[in-house]
Amino acid sequence: MDEKKRQAAKEQLFKAILSLNTMEECADFFDDLCTLKELEAFTQRFHVAGRIMNGETYEMINLETNARSNLIFRMKKSLQREQSCLREVLERLPEKERSIN
C-alpha cells in the first residue's frame, strides 16, 4: 500500500473510532479489531502514562504494572512533548481516574 492510501486508511480508522457512541460500542469495536495482546499493550501504555501524570516513580510503576523501563521512559517522553495529545486526554480525566491502583 502506498503512503497516500495508508494515510487514507488511517484517517478512515480514526473516523470510525470517533463515531463510537458508548463505552460498550468502544469495547466491542476494539475487541473485534485487536488481539488480546494488542489491547493489553494499549491498556498498559495508557495506564503507565496515567501513573506518570499522577507523579509516581519509575520503580513504583515498574513494580505494580510490570512495565519495562523503556516503556515507562517512552510514555514519559510522549507526555513531555509540547503538543502531547496523550497528556491532553489524561488531563481531561479526574486524577483518581487516570490510573487504576
Side-chain angles (χ1 to χ4, degrees):
M1 186 183 305
D2 70 16
E3 186 58 34
K4 195 173 188 179
K5 288 181 181 178
R6 190 180 345 265
Q7 184 62 32
K10 191 165 43 168
E11 288 176 14
Q12 184 182 33
L13 171 64
F14 296 155
K15 287 176 184 176
I17 292 168
L18 289 171
S19 77
L20 300 170
N21 294 314
T22 65
M23 184 77 72
E24 184 177 90
E25 268 189 8
C26 188
D28 289 345
F29 178 80
F30 280 98
D31 283 343
D32 288 344
L33 191 64
C34 300
T35 66
L36 182 59
K37 290 283 186 197
E38 290 167 335
L39 195 51
E40 286 174 355
F42 287 138
T43 302
Q44 183 184 43
R45 290 176 189 148
F46 192 74
H47 181 67
V48 165
R51 294 180 84 124
I52 292 167
M53 288 280 295
N54 287 347
E56 295 184 30
T57 65
Y58 274 58
E59 294 79 18
M60 189 184 308
I61 295 168
N62 173 265
L63 182 67
E64 295 185 16
T65 68
N66 290 327
R68 294 185 176 174
S69 59
N70 61 339
L71 175 94
I72 299 168
F73 178 77
R74 194 168 122 217
M75 292 297 94
K76 186 171 184 173
K77 281 295 213 189
S78 181
L79 291 167
Q80 290 172 341
R81 285 186 304 116
E82 188 175 325
Q83 300 295 321
S84 173
C85 188
L86 178 59
R87 184 182 66 242
E88 188 175 323
V89 167
L90 284 165
E91 286 174 344
R92 292 176 191 165
L93 297 175
E95 187 173 335
K96 65 182 181 178
E97 291 183 25
R98 288 184 192 153
S99 65
I100 308 300
N101 292 323

